[in-house]
Amino acid sequence: MIRFIHLISLILLLNISFIENVDRNNFKTCEQSAFCRRQRKYKPDTTPYEVDLSSMKTITNGHLQFSLLNTLKSHVKLQLDLYTLQHNSLRVKINEINPVRKRYEVERVLVSEPKLVNVNITKSDNNQIEGRFDKTARFILNAKPFRLDLFTNDIFVMSVNSKNMFNFEHYRKKPASDGAPAENNAEDNEDGMWEETFKSHHDSKPHGPSSIGIDVNFLNFENVYGIPEHADAFSLRSTHDTDPYRLFNLDIFEYDIKNPMALYGAIPYMLAHNEHATVGFFWLNAAEGWIDVSNDKLNTKNLFSTITSFFGTKSNENNEVPEVTTHWMFESGIFDGFFFMGPTPNDIFKQYTALTGATPTPPLWSIAYHQCRWNYNDEDDVRGVNNGFEQHQIPVDVIWLDIEHTNGKRYFTWDTSKFPNPEKMQDDLAVYGRKMITISDPHIKKDDGYQVYADAKSRGYFVKSKDGSDYEGWCWPGSSMWLDYFNPEIYKWYSQRYSYDNYKGSTPNLFIWNDMNEPSVFNGPEVTFPKDVVHYGGWENRDVHNLYGMLQHMATFDGLLERSNGNIRPFILTRSFFAGSQRTSAVWTGDNAAQWSHLKIAVPMLLSLSVTGIGFIGADVGGFFFNPDAKLLVRWYQAAAFQPFFREHAHIDTARREPWLFGDDNTRLIRQAIEQRYSYLPFWYTLFYRQEKHGVPPMLPLWANFPRDTNTFKTEDSYMVGNGLLVYPVTEADINQVSVYFPGQNTVWYDIRTFTQHNGSETALINVDMESIPIYQCGGTIIPQRLRKRRASMLAIHDPITLVVALDRNHEAEGELYLDDGQTYDYRQKHAFIHRRFTFKNNELKSISLDSSAKFETDAWIERIVIVGYPKNPSRVEINSGDKQAIPIHSYQDGSQVLIIRRPGPAVTTDWTLTLS
Amino acid sequence: MYIPSKPFTCLDGSLTIPYEFVNDDYCDCKDGTDEPGTSACPNGRFFCENKGYVGSLIPSHFVGDGVCDCCDGSDEYETKTVCNNTCFELAQKTQAEREAQRVLHEAGVAKKKEIISKSIAIKSERQTHIDELERDLQSVENELKEKEELKRQAEIPENQAKEKHQKLWDEQRAVRETIIRNYQIRDMFADLDTNGDSLVSIDELQKHTELDLDNENEFTIEEVRTILGSDSVTLDEFNTTVFDQISNSYKRLPKPTTPIPEPTLDSIATPSSSVETSTDEKNMESHDETPIATSLEHEKHIHDDTPPEFDDETKQLIAIADQTRTEFDQVQGKVLDIKRQIEDLKKQVNIDVGVQGEYSAFIDQCFDYEEREYTYRVCMFKDAKQIPKGGGGDVAIGFWDAWTGPIENKYLRMKYVNGATCWNGPARSLTVTFRCGIEHKIIDVREPSRCEYAMIFETPSACDEKMAVTSSHSTHTEF
C-alpha cells in the first residue's frame, strides 16, 4: 500500500501559539471548537472505512450508489452516492442510512439539480471500480480501503481519503445521565461532544457530535486557491504553524490581515492549478468549517503502476512529486462534494458556475463609481456631496446612505428630521443619471411601535431560541430580533418589505445594501447567533449558519425585482455571503482599514473571491477604519478604479474624505483615476456579460490567462482585468519603482498611457510617480472604450466608442463589445443588446455580430480606432460597411508604432471592415 | 477664431486643422477648443447663450448628456431631451434674490455701522479706563514702596530678637544632648560591666557578638581588643574611645534590667519656666510619652522637641513687624488687582474684532442654538460647548483659536479648537461661518465629520457694504 509523509501529524504535536490580541480572543481557535479539536487530531494509520462494492446499485446512468462501512463500528451504516455530471464534474454524497436525526442538506445554493451524464464503467473488479465520463474525467473508487482517485485527461489530479482522515461522526443517543454510555464506546463521551462553552456562552448541543472530516489531496500541485473569506494570501498558505482556515460567517471588528481567521462570508470551494490542469473541489456545507492546508511531497515509488504514468510530469530522482494535502472539517450536515476536473481555468469557472450560478450582468451604473460614508447626514449633505462632484467635474453614479438615515435603525424608515423628502432627494440625483443606495440590515429593532417588528412578531417570524421563544440579541438599534428567512413564507414577506408601498420614501432609483448579515449579534457568541438557535424546519443555526446572510440578500433581490415587475435589474451589496451569493449580490471585503497593508491585501482577497464565483467585488476605497493620508487615498482610488466594485466608504469617526478634500493636486489625481474607470466601462460591461454567459470573472489571476506560466502561480501583486489588461496597483507609500512581471512567452504588452512595449516572460522595473497606475494591454486584444467624459455612466450609453487594437507578434488581435440599455432585463427578454466581435488579421479589422437575433437601438458609433504595435504608416485606410465606403483620416507615430484612425464612423450596430494597405 | 473656410488652430497652438474639423464631433485639439459645440472633448467648453439671462460656459461633456444645463436648453438641442427655456424665470428669480440680498445687506450694514461706532466709543472708553487704572497703579505702587520700607525697618529688631532666642535654645539643646550621652554611656558601661568592677574587660565585651562587624567567624579576642584598645577600660576611657564605635550596633543582652530613672526636661537645667507651664499640646504629649521610652530611645525624644515660646519683648517686636507686613500685603493686593483689570481691558482691546471693529459686539457674549438632542453654546472669543438636553455633562467642542475666513475677508469664519477628544477620533473643533443677517443668531449647527462641528451664524457684522449698493447699472448690462 502507499505510504505517505505525515507532516501534519508532527505539527499537531507542537504547541501552536499566536500573537494574542483582544480581538482574536473573541473568536474561537480550532482548539476551542470541540469538533475541530477532535477532527484535527484524527490521523489513523489506516482508514476503517470500506466501500461494499457488492452493494452497488445503478440508480440511473450516471448515479451509482454504494454502502460505506466503518469496520470499527459495524452498526453505523453510510451510503455513498456517486453522480457523474456534465461539465467534467463528479458529485459524491455520503450520508447516514437511517440516522437518529436527519442530517441537513444545503438548500438554495445549486441553481438546479445538476445534470447527469452517462458513465462508462471501464473496469470493475473486487476492489475497484473505474469509470470515465464527459470529456476528460475519470474516477477510480477503491473499496478497501475507501479511497477515490480522480483524473483529467488521464492525469492523476485529486485523491480523496488517501490520508485516511475521513471521519464521519454519526448522530447518536445522548449517554444516559448516570454515566452509562448509550453506545459502548468511550469516544462518545469526549469533552465537547454534548455541550461546550466559549467565554461566557454555553452551547447546549442537544444533538451531540455530528461533524465530518475528510482529506482531499491535489497531486502534483503546489498551489491551491479559494475558500474565502480570509484576509490572506491568494495561493493558500500551509497551516502547519497556524489554525486551519476557518469558514464561519462572522463580524470581525478591525480584522487583521495574513491569518486564517474566518471573516464575513464562506465559500467551501478550493481550486488547484498547475501547468497541466486546473481542478476544483467544492463541499456544499453551510456549517462551521475548518480546512488544513499542507504542502507536501508524495513518494510515487510505491504507487501502483497504472497511476505513476499519469502525473503529466515525471517525478524527480527521489520519486517525489509535490502534493497539496487538505483536511476539511465541518460541524454538521452531510458530505456533498463536487469535484471539477477542468482541465483549463475557463473550464473550471464554467463548471463551478454551472452548479451555483454566475453573476448576472449588473446594471451599468453599479460598475461605475460609488460614493459612500457612514454617514451622509441629511438631505443637505447629500445635495452638497452631489454638488461637490459637479463642481469638481468628477463622475459619480451613486450616493449611499448608511444606518443613520433611518429612524433609530428601524430599516424601511427614514429619520424624517434629516430626510423629510427622500423621494425628492432621489429624484434630484436622478436628474444627473444618479442612483441612491440605502442600507437595510437584518436585525429588527424590538419596538412594538415599529411596524416591521410588530408584524413579524405577531406572525412568529423571528428566529427562535433553543427553548422556543423568540431569540433576542443586541445590535445597532439595541434589543433586536432576526427574521427566519429559511421559512419561504418569511422570505417572501421580507422581500415584500421592499415594495414601494411598504418602503415609504423609496423610488425606482433606490437600491439596497445588506450589512451585518452574518448575522452580527453584539452580545452573541463570537458576535453572532448561538449555534443552538432554531430555524425553520427545526434546523439549528449550527447546520445552516453560513447561509443566513445569503438568504437575506436573495430575498432583498427578489423584493427589488418584484418592485419593478421583473423589468429592472436589482443591485444589492452584501457583506455576508455563501456559494451562490453571486447570483443576486455584489460583495465587498467589509470593514478594512486605512493602511497600506490593507490596500495591498485587497488584491489577493478579491482574487480569492473571483475564482470562487463571486465576481462583483471590491474593497472600501481609503479603508473603512481610520484616516488615510492623501497619498494612500490616491493610490487606493488608482487601484480600485481597476477592480470590479468601486466604492469609497468611511467609518463615522473618520474625517471627511470626498475626492476634493485633499488639495487640487490630489483632486486631479483622483479625478483622473475615476475618469479612467469610466473610460473603460464598455470593456468592464462586456466582461460582466461574459461572466453571466461563461462564468469567467472580470478580475482574474494571471494564471487564468497564462495557465502554463509557472511564474504567475503565486502572483498577487498584479492581476488581469479580463484577458486584456494587466494591472499592477502601487500599494506602497514611498516608492518610485515597481517590478512588474509580464506573463506569457511571445506575448507583447503595451503601457496604456504611453504604448511602450514590454516583452512577456520578463520582469521590468517600471518608474512610478503619483500619476502612475501601471497598467498594460495585452498584445492580441481589442478593448472598447469611451474616451468622452460624462458625469454619470448612464448618460453615456449612446456615446461613441473608441477601439484600442493591441497587436500581438503576428499582428493579430481580437476582442468583444457588449452593449445594452444598462438597467433592464430587455437584453434577456427582448434580445435588446449588441454583442460584437472585432478581429484584426491580415491588415483587416472586422466587426461582426455574435448574435444575429440581438437588436438594440443606439446612435453609438465608432469614433476612433487606435492600432498599437502596427509596424508602419499605411498608405491607405479604407472602411467598408454594407455598400458604404469611406476613407478616414489617419495618423501614425513611428516611435510608439501607434496608428490612430480618425472618425472611421460606422454605427456600432453594423458589420464593417477596415482595411489597411 | 472660428472663421469658416480658414484652417483652425487650437487655442493652445498645438495643432492646425481644416475648418471642417471644428465641431465635427471629434476631438482634435488637446485643449478641446475645436469642439466648443459638441461633447467630443473631455476638457472642452460649451457656451450657453442664455438669451434673457447671463451667457455661461459649461464643460462640453455636459452637452447632449440628457441633463438640461443651459437655461435656454441649447446644450441638449441635438438630443431627445426636451429642455424648457427657463432663462426668463431664472433672470427674474435671480433679480429677486439679488434685490432681497441687497435689502438684507442694506439693513445689515446700517446695524453694522451702529456696532462699529459703538465699538469706537467702547474702545475709547476702555482706553480711558486703562489710563485711569494706570494712574491709580502708579500711586498704589508708590504706597507699596513706603510700606515695604516700613516692613523692612520693623523686621530688623524682630530678626535680632528671634536669632537671640534661637541661639539660647541651641545652647540648651547642646547641654541636654551631652547629659543624655552621659546617661547612655553610663548605662551601657553598667550593662557591660557585668562583674561590677568599674572596668569593661575583653571577656565582658566579647559576649556582645552583635558588635562583630565581619559577621563571618567568631568574635575573637583580637577583634574585641581592637575595639577596647586595651584589655579593659574605665568609664572615662569607654567614653572617649569605645562608645562611639559600638553605640550603633550595641544591643542589650537579654536579662531583666532595672529601669533607669527617666531624664525629663525638668531634670535638665532649664532656664525657662515656660516649658513647664506650656499649654502646647506637643509638649504635653512628649511629657506623657517619656515614661515608656527607654533611656536609649531618649535621643528621639529630644529631637522631637520644639523650641519654647518667645519672650514678651520678642513677641512685641513680632507683632509690630506683623502689622507692617499685613499693610504691605494689602497694598500689594491692590496693585495686582489693578494690573489684572488693566490686563483684562487690554485683552479686550487686543481681540481682533474686525477691520472696523464690526465684531466688537461679540465680546463677552454667548449664543445658544437649540437642536433636538443638544444645546450648542458659543461664547465668542472664548469657547464652545455642546450641552446635552437629556442630562449629562457639557462637552467642550473647542476653545477660541483664530479667524479662518478666505483671504478676501478672513472675518467670515472663525475657529474653536482642542475641544474634548473623541473616542478613536480627533479633538473636537468648531468652525463658525458668518453671513449677513439682521440679528446675531445661530442658524444651524452640524457635524459634517465626526467631532468637527460647523455653525452657521447670521449677524449684521458680516453684511457687506458693496452688496448693499443698488447695482441697477450692472444688472442692465448682464441681462
Side-chain angles (χ1 to χ4, degrees), chain B residues 158-190:
Chain B
E158 180 202 28
N159 285 340
Q160 285 169 349
K162 275 184 178 172
E163 271 166 30
K164 195 172 144 202
H165 177 84
Q166 183 65 37
K167 201 176 158 197
L168 193 58
W169 172 240
D170 288 347
E171 284 165 9
Q172 285 171 13
R173 274 156 53 109
V175 169
R176 262 197 277 184
E177 271 166 29
T178 311
I179 291 165
I180 285 160
R181 183 183 151 93
N182 287 341
Y183 263 103
Q184 287 173 340
I185 291 166
R186 243 177 268 146
D187 187 30
M188 199 184 291
F189 190 86

Side-chain angles (χ1 to χ4, degrees), chain A residues 702 706 709 711-712 715-720 725-732 735-744 749-752 756-768 772-777:
Chain A
L702 301 189
F706 300 92
D709 188 338
N711 292 326
T712 66
T715 301
E716 58 176 35
D717 55 1
S718 60
Y719 58 92
M720 295 292 297
L725 297 180
L726 170 71
V727 182
Y728 188 106
V730 179
T731 57
E732 271 161 65
I735 194 169
N736 47 28
Q737 208 169 49
V738 293
S739 170
V740 179
Y741 176 71
F742 293 96
W749 296 87
Y750 302 92
D751 185 307
I752 61 163
T756 306
Q757 299 186 13
H758 298 277
N759 290 324
S761 295
E762 285 178 14
T763 298
L765 290 175
I766 308 287
N767 292 328
V768 294
S772 315
I773 319 177
I775 298 175
Y776 306 88
Q777 185 172 345

Side-chain angles (χ1 to χ4, degrees), chain A residues 754-798:
Chain A
T754 62
F755 299 117
T756 306
Q757 299 186 13
H758 298 277
N759 290 324
S761 295
E762 285 178 14
T763 298
L765 290 175
I766 308 287
N767 292 328
V768 294
D769 56 22
M770 279 312 288
E771 307 267 340
S772 315
I773 319 177
I775 298 175
Y776 306 88
Q777 185 172 345
C778 186
T781 64
I782 299 175
I783 291 183
Q785 284 190 269
R786 279 200 172 105
L787 297 184
R788 296 192 176 195
K789 184 173 173 173
R790 292 295 188 191
R791 45 189 156 195
S793 68
M794 293 300 284
L795 304 181
I797 56 172
H798 300 297

Side-chain angles (χ1 to χ4, degrees), chain A residues 391-454:
Chain A
Q391 195 186 327
H392 298 278
Q393 295 188 37
I394 299 171
V396 63
D397 270 55
V398 193
I399 294 178
W400 293 52
L401 296 178
D402 207 325
I403 52 174
E404 310 298 329
H405 83 279
T406 60
N407 172 19
K409 284 80 175 181
R410 294 168 182 87
Y411 305 103
F412 309 103
T413 72
W414 299 82
D415 180 336
T416 50
S417 71
K418 295 170 177 169
F419 296 91
N421 291 304
E423 288 103 335
K424 185 175 182 304
M425 171 174 61
Q426 292 157 57
D427 292 348
D428 289 350
L429 287 176
V431 165
Y432 299 95
R434 293 177 182 146
K435 313 289 178 191
M436 172 154 271
I437 288 176
T438 55
I439 198 165
S440 190
D441 288 352
H443 44 263
I444 304 297
K445 184 177 172 70
K446 187 185 172 191
D447 169 12
D448 291 331
Y450 173 32
Q451 195 66 45
V452 174
Y453 171 80

Side-chain angles (χ1 to χ4, degrees), chain B residues 126 128-144 329-347:
Chain B
R126 265 194 215 115
T128 319
H129 197 178
I130 289 170
D131 294 345
E132 275 169 22
L133 286 170
E134 272 172 352
R135 276 196 297 279
D136 291 354
L137 184 63
Q138 194 76 49
S139 66
V140 181
E141 273 177 343
N142 288 338
E143 192 186 343
L144 188 67
D329 288 348
Q330 279 168 357
V331 179
Q332 197 177 37
K334 265 193 230 170
V335 169
L336 290 175
D337 184 51
I338 295 168
K339 277 186 174 167
R340 192 180 42 75
Q341 284 185 54
I342 293 170
E343 203 180 307
D344 283 355
L345 281 165
K346 280 190 171 164
K347 236 188 230 167

